[in-house]
Amino acid sequence: MSEAKQIYHVPVLLNESVDGMNIQPGGIYVDATFGGGGHSKEILSRLGSTAHLYSFDQDEDAEKNIVSDSRFTFVRSNFRYLPNFLRYYGVEGVDAILADLGVSSHHFDDSERGFSFRFEGKLDMRMNKRAGMTAADVVNTYDEERLANIFYLYGELKNSRKLASAIVKARGVKQIVTIGDFLEVIKPLFGREREKKELAKVFQALRIEVNQEMEALKEMLYAATKALKPGGRLVVITYHSLEDRMVKNIMKTGNIEGKAEQDFFGNVQTPFKLVNNKVIVAGNEEVTRNPRSRSAKLRIAEKR
């Protein structure tokens, strides 16, 4: 890959996550979040000639990073459609699935995508630019209660109701179209000392809603449970508590709610056994090199 392509996204916990896939030279593997191709490239370096890797990404920008390799298939789609495409390619079971749930640094650095409050641009936030709803659509059309719920559930913001009320009042005067328009409305609600952290939470909440991230993750996790062969690995890197809770629950109990089913003897009935009981996090060296890895948590489970 060229230097320009590598800047697209620096993979987090690269060796730890790919090691966790327990790769066998002739296996079939899935990288559910291709992005800049860093994880996929490392996986391919460990495969034999008969193995195959299927990598998913819904963003057309990711296609610029496609690897030229006969053992590689790029699927331009959301990972929630994993079973559809595995069926399409005649794959009955896979040996490991990797998902890095973080947003590519490319998205935050591209002012036209609207993911970051650091730049002026349209309030967009769509991972898939072909999709319909933008962040501007959300803030201009959702009712006050729905907006408050999004900010509370997805951003864990204590002043979610004040935020929603301010947005509804402002859009009654003029439509909120750009990041600048949006910041003008919400910035006065945050103190200077915590402004950046709180704004990041607001933008996270909107991004999750626009891209239906929680629903997509739920579908992918259940699909992965069915697609993995016995002994296959599910390897997931999370960045915030909502997604981490879902991943932890499915690995421990087999469902995202975390409701454990027990047999007659009180043993938990789950399709997985944990590979790492303690979550894996980035070391000091990686955090220094790549600050976004600070919030990363790696969980690995094996299909029974």
Side-chain angles (χ1 to χ4, degrees), residues 9-19 38-39 100 237-239 280-298:
H9 179 68
V10 179
V12 169
L13 294 166
L14 177 62
N15 290 317
E16 294 91 337
S17 58
V18 179
D19 287 347
H39 286 106
D100 177 358
I237 304 170
T238 65
Y239 294 84
I280 298 169
V281 296
N284 292 333
E285 189 179 325
E286 179 168 2
V287 170
T288 302
R289 190 174 65 250
N290 186 9
R292 64 183 297 279
S293 67
R294 188 186 307 276
S295 59
K297 292 180 178 179
L298 172 62

Side-chain angles (χ1 to χ4, degrees), residues 117 183 186 190 195-203:
F117 54 83
L183 291 177
I186 66 172
F190 301 116
E195 185 180 85
K196 284 186 178 179
K197 283 190 175 181
E198 299 299 296
L199 288 176
K201 289 180 179 180
V202 174
F203 274 64

Side-chain angles (χ1 to χ4, degrees), residues 52-92:
H52 206 86
L53 171 65
Y54 296 88
S55 292
F56 287 69
D57 206 296
Q58 62 185 328
D59 187 356
E60 67 181 36
D61 288 353
E63 290 190 64
K64 298 167 187 172
N65 306 313
I66 286 177
V67 183
S68 179
D69 193 309
S70 61
R71 304 166 300 167
F72 175 80
T73 298
F74 179 78
V75 181
R76 189 180 165 195
S77 177
N78 189 301
F79 58 33
R80 72 195 304 172
Y81 302 115
L82 175 71
N84 306 46
F85 284 94
L86 291 182
R87 193 161 52 244
Y88 174 78
Y89 288 108
V91 178
E92 293 183 5

Side-chain angles (χ1 to χ4, degrees), residues 101 154 213-222 234 236 238 240-258 299:
L101 302 178
Y154 297 157
E213 291 179 30
M214 294 298 103
E215 291 82 356
L217 177 57
K218 175 183 175 180
E219 289 178 30
M220 187 277 285
L221 290 173
Y222 281 124
L234 177 61
V236 187
T238 65
H240 59 78
S241 59
L242 292 169
E243 60 191 18
D244 187 58
R245 195 177 305 127
M246 289 173 70
V247 173
K248 179 172 68 175
N249 284 345
I250 203 148
M251 288 183 173
K252 285 189 172 182
T253 67
N255 58 72
I256 61 160
E257 292 83 16
R299 296 186 184 274

